[in-house]
């Protein structure tokens, strides 16, 4: 019974920590969320987080391209560039885009993709 209670507590704790976004900010609090980006905190985020093992932080947001008033990928990339991060590498395929930005010893990886009908942008940093 103790073991089951401990497991339940662990699962509840991990679910509460599943979306580490600082409200009103993106990129681990580096930039104001001026575009009103909506965080993704479910299974898609968990998959991204596990795929980025070794980074200090990860976040994921919903992206709706082409609609007036909606967040676009370019909005995120512009935020990072305004933060004096420089683009050092990019890779584009049919279903995804990956960008690596650096500023000194800090880096931000941006992953843009599609999962089912959802477009998303994942951010990971050191």
């Amino acid at each position: 019974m103790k073991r089951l209670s401990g497991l339940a507590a662990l699962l509840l704790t991990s679910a509460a920590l599943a979306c580490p976004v600082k409200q009103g900010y993106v990129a681990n609090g580096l930039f104001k969320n001026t575009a009103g980006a909506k965080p993704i905190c479910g299974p898609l985020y968990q998959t991204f987080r596990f795929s980025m093992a070794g980074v200090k932080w990860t976040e994921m947001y919903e992206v709706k391209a082409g609609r007036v008033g909606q967040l676009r990928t370019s909005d995120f990339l512009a935020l990072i560039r305004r933060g004096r991060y420089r683009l050092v590498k990019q890779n584009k395929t049919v279903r995804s885009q990956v960008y690596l930005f650096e500023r000194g010893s800090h880096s931000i990886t941006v992953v843009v993709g599609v999962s089912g009908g959802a477009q998303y942008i994942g951010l990971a940093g050191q």
Side-chain angles (χ1 to χ4, degrees):
M1 187 66 163
K2 277 186 177 181
R3 190 175 193 185
L4 185 58
S5 297
L7 180 60
L10 179 63
L11 288 173
L12 290 173
T13 302
S14 66
L17 298 174
C19 199
V21 175
K22 293 182 182 181
Q23 190 169 2
Y25 293 88
V26 297
N28 199 37
L30 293 174
F31 312 109
K32 282 237 182 219
N33 186 359
T34 56
K38 179 183 172 191
I40 296 174
C41 304
L44 182 60
Y45 167 73
Q46 291 297 330
T47 300
F48 174 69
R49 184 174 70 109
F50 288 122
S51 73
M52 299 300 291
V55 299
K56 290 184 180 178
W57 56 268
T58 56
E59 298 172 2
M60 183 171 275
Y61 298 91
E62 182 179 350
V63 178
K64 294 183 181 174
R67 295 187 184 162
V68 176
Q70 295 293 330
L71 179 70
R72 297 180 321 239
T73 301
S74 59
D75 297 334
F76 268 102
L77 300 178
L79 273 176
I80 295 168
R81 284 187 175 115
R82 281 195 301 269
R84 296 181 307 185
Y85 282 80
R86 64 181 176 85
L87 180 63
V88 295
K89 193 183 294 185
Q90 68 181 19
N91 183 21
K92 294 183 180 185
T93 67
V94 174
R95 297 199 42 89
S96 68
Q97 303 163 24
V98 179
Y99 303 90
L100 176 63
F101 291 89
E102 291 181 347
R103 185 179 81 188
S105 63
H106 299 282
S107 66
I108 297 175
T109 302
V110 179
V111 178
V112 181
V114 177
S115 179
Q119 293 181 316
Y120 64 87
I121 185 163
L123 304 172
Q126 295 284 29

mmCIF file of all heavy atoms in Angstrom, residues 68-84:
data_model
loop_
_atom_site.group_PDB
_atom_site.id
_atom_site.type_symbol
_atom_site.label_atom_id
_atom_site.label_comp_id
_atom_site.label_asym_id
_atom_site.label_seq_id
_atom_site.Cartn_x
_atom_site.Cartn_y
_atom_site.Cartn_z
ATOM 1 N N VAL A 68 -4.856 35.956 -39.006
ATOM 2 C CA VAL A 68 -4.644 37.270 -38.412
ATOM 3 C C VAL A 68 -4.809 37.170 -36.896
ATOM 4 O O VAL A 68 -5.739 36.556 -36.399
ATOM 5 C CB VAL A 68 -5.644 38.295 -38.997
ATOM 6 C CG1 VAL A 68 -5.504 39.639 -38.310
ATOM 7 C CG2 VAL A 68 -5.439 38.433 -40.495
ATOM 8 N N GLY A 69 -3.862 37.762 -36.179
ATOM 9 C CA GLY A 69 -3.924 37.760 -34.723
ATOM 10 C C GLY A 69 -3.426 36.489 -34.077
ATOM 11 O O GLY A 69 -3.445 36.365 -32.872
ATOM 12 N N GLN A 70 -2.987 35.526 -34.856
ATOM 13 C CA GLN A 70 -2.490 34.272 -34.310
ATOM 14 C C GLN A 70 -0.972 34.253 -34.327
ATOM 15 O O GLN A 70 -0.333 34.874 -35.167
ATOM 16 C CB GLN A 70 -3.019 33.078 -35.121
ATOM 17 C CG GLN A 70 -4.516 32.889 -35.042
ATOM 18 C CD GLN A 70 -4.970 32.478 -33.653
ATOM 19 O OE1 GLN A 70 -4.245 31.829 -32.915
ATOM 20 N NE2 GLN A 70 -6.166 32.878 -33.296
ATOM 21 N N LEU A 71 -0.416 33.520 -33.413
ATOM 22 C CA LEU A 71 1.024 33.364 -33.300
ATOM 23 C C LEU A 71 1.576 32.667 -34.534
ATOM 24 O O LEU A 71 0.978 31.743 -35.056
ATOM 25 C CB LEU A 71 1.328 32.525 -32.066
ATOM 26 C CG LEU A 71 2.790 32.235 -31.803
ATOM 27 C CD1 LEU A 71 3.486 33.517 -31.377
ATOM 28 C CD2 LEU A 71 2.921 31.193 -30.741
ATOM 29 N N ARG A 72 2.707 33.118 -34.997
ATOM 30 C CA ARG A 72 3.396 32.482 -36.115
ATOM 31 C C ARG A 72 4.803 32.102 -35.673
ATOM 32 O O ARG A 72 5.358 32.691 -34.755
ATOM 33 C CB ARG A 72 3.469 33.437 -37.303
ATOM 34 C CG ARG A 72 2.120 33.821 -37.864
ATOM 35 C CD ARG A 72 2.305 34.770 -39.027
ATOM 36 N NE ARG A 72 3.386 35.711 -38.753
ATOM 37 C CZ ARG A 72 3.246 37.031 -38.717
ATOM 38 N NH1 ARG A 72 2.116 37.578 -38.973
ATOM 39 N NH2 ARG A 72 4.280 37.806 -38.453
ATOM 40 N N THR A 73 5.380 31.153 -36.373
ATOM 41 C CA THR A 73 6.751 30.737 -36.082
ATOM 42 C C THR A 73 7.698 31.922 -36.136
ATOM 43 O O THR A 73 8.586 32.071 -35.292
ATOM 44 C CB THR A 73 7.190 29.666 -37.099
ATOM 45 O OG1 THR A 73 6.287 28.570 -36.998
ATOM 46 C CG2 THR A 73 8.593 29.199 -36.827
ATOM 47 N N SER A 74 7.506 32.776 -37.113
ATOM 48 C CA SER A 74 8.393 33.930 -37.274
ATOM 49 C C SER A 74 8.373 34.846 -36.050
ATOM 50 O O SER A 74 9.376 35.499 -35.754
ATOM 51 C CB SER A 74 8.042 34.711 -38.535
ATOM 52 O OG SER A 74 6.712 35.169 -38.474
ATOM 53 N N ASP A 75 7.254 34.881 -35.326
ATOM 54 C CA ASP A 75 7.180 35.689 -34.102
ATOM 55 C C ASP A 75 8.179 35.189 -33.059
ATOM 56 O O ASP A 75 8.851 35.975 -32.397
ATOM 57 C CB ASP A 75 5.769 35.662 -33.506
ATOM 58 C CG ASP A 75 4.722 36.278 -34.417
ATOM 59 O OD1 ASP A 75 5.081 37.148 -35.245
ATOM 60 O OD2 ASP A 75 3.541 35.887 -34.302
ATOM 61 N N PHE A 76 8.263 33.861 -32.897
ATOM 62 C CA PHE A 76 9.215 33.293 -31.946
ATOM 63 C C PHE A 76 10.649 33.539 -32.381
ATOM 64 O O PHE A 76 11.502 33.915 -31.582
ATOM 65 C CB PHE A 76 9.003 31.787 -31.796
ATOM 66 C CG PHE A 76 8.070 31.428 -30.686
ATOM 67 C CD1 PHE A 76 6.775 31.066 -30.959
ATOM 68 C CD2 PHE A 76 8.494 31.462 -29.373
ATOM 69 C CE1 PHE A 76 5.911 30.734 -29.943
ATOM 70 C CE2 PHE A 76 7.639 31.124 -28.346
ATOM 71 C CZ PHE A 76 6.340 30.762 -28.629
ATOM 72 N N LEU A 77 10.918 33.317 -33.650
ATOM 73 C CA LEU A 77 12.280 33.516 -34.144
ATOM 74 C C LEU A 77 12.706 34.972 -33.983
ATOM 75 O O LEU A 77 13.848 35.257 -33.612
ATOM 76 C CB LEU A 77 12.386 33.070 -35.601
ATOM 77 C CG LEU A 77 12.056 31.595 -35.862
ATOM 78 C CD1 LEU A 77 12.147 31.287 -37.352
ATOM 79 C CD2 LEU A 77 12.919 30.667 -35.047
ATOM 80 N N ALA A 78 11.783 35.906 -34.218
ATOM 81 C CA ALA A 78 12.083 37.331 -34.056
ATOM 82 C C ALA A 78 12.372 37.667 -32.589
ATOM 83 O O ALA A 78 13.277 38.454 -32.291
ATOM 84 C CB ALA A 78 10.934 38.180 -34.588
ATOM 85 N N LEU A 79 11.615 37.076 -31.660
ATOM 86 C CA LEU A 79 11.864 37.299 -30.223
ATOM 87 C C LEU A 79 13.288 36.886 -29.860
ATOM 88 O O LEU A 79 13.994 37.605 -29.147
ATOM 89 C CB LEU A 79 10.898 36.464 -29.380
ATOM 90 C CG LEU A 79 9.544 37.021 -29.046
ATOM 91 C CD1 LEU A 79 8.732 35.981 -28.282
ATOM 92 C CD2 LEU A 79 9.648 38.294 -28.244
ATOM 93 N N ILE A 80 13.689 35.733 -30.339
ATOM 94 C CA ILE A 80 15.018 35.211 -30.008
ATOM 95 C C ILE A 80 16.106 36.093 -30.610
ATOM 96 O O ILE A 80 17.087 36.425 -29.954
ATOM 97 C CB ILE A 80 15.137 33.751 -30.456
ATOM 98 C CG1 ILE A 80 14.151 32.907 -29.637
ATOM 99 C CG2 ILE A 80 16.555 33.237 -30.299
ATOM 100 C CD1 ILE A 80 13.945 31.509 -30.151
ATOM 101 N N ARG A 81 15.910 36.511 -31.846
ATOM 102 C CA ARG A 81 16.903 37.388 -32.489
ATOM 103 C C ARG A 81 16.997 38.732 -31.771
ATOM 104 O O ARG A 81 18.080 39.280 -31.609
ATOM 105 C CB ARG A 81 16.547 37.597 -33.955
ATOM 106 C CG ARG A 81 16.885 36.397 -34.803
ATOM 107 C CD ARG A 81 16.679 36.697 -36.291
ATOM 108 N NE ARG A 81 17.111 35.590 -37.093
ATOM 109 C CZ ARG A 81 16.309 34.856 -37.848
ATOM 110 N NH1 ARG A 81 15.025 35.137 -37.926
ATOM 111 N NH2 ARG A 81 16.793 33.860 -38.549
ATOM 112 N N ARG A 82 15.849 39.269 -31.334
ATOM 113 C CA ARG A 82 15.878 40.548 -30.596
ATOM 114 C C ARG A 82 16.606 40.399 -29.262
ATOM 115 O O ARG A 82 17.095 41.370 -28.709
ATOM 116 C CB ARG A 82 14.457 41.074 -30.372
ATOM 117 C CG ARG A 82 13.880 41.756 -31.593
ATOM 118 C CD ARG A 82 12.651 42.590 -31.270
ATOM 119 N NE ARG A 82 11.563 41.835 -30.673
ATOM 120 C CZ ARG A 82 10.571 41.252 -31.350
ATOM 121 N NH1 ARG A 82 10.534 41.333 -32.659
ATOM 122 N NH2 ARG A 82 9.621 40.608 -30.725
ATOM 123 N N GLY A 83 16.669 39.179 -28.752
ATOM 124 C CA GLY A 83 17.410 38.904 -27.519
ATOM 125 C C GLY A 83 18.898 38.726 -27.771
ATOM 126 O O GLY A 83 19.616 38.236 -26.909
ATOM 127 N N ARG A 84 19.349 39.086 -28.947
ATOM 128 C CA ARG A 84 20.765 39.037 -29.359
ATOM 129 C C ARG A 84 21.310 37.620 -29.485
ATOM 130 O O ARG A 84 22.505 37.399 -29.346
ATOM 131 C CB ARG A 84 21.625 39.888 -28.449
ATOM 132 C CG ARG A 84 21.266 41.358 -28.531
ATOM 133 C CD ARG A 84 22.117 42.154 -27.657
ATOM 134 N NE ARG A 84 22.050 41.563 -26.305
ATOM 135 C CZ ARG A 84 22.606 42.050 -25.239
ATOM 136 N NH1 ARG A 84 23.287 43.130 -25.311
ATOM 137 N NH2 ARG A 84 22.512 41.457 -24.072
#
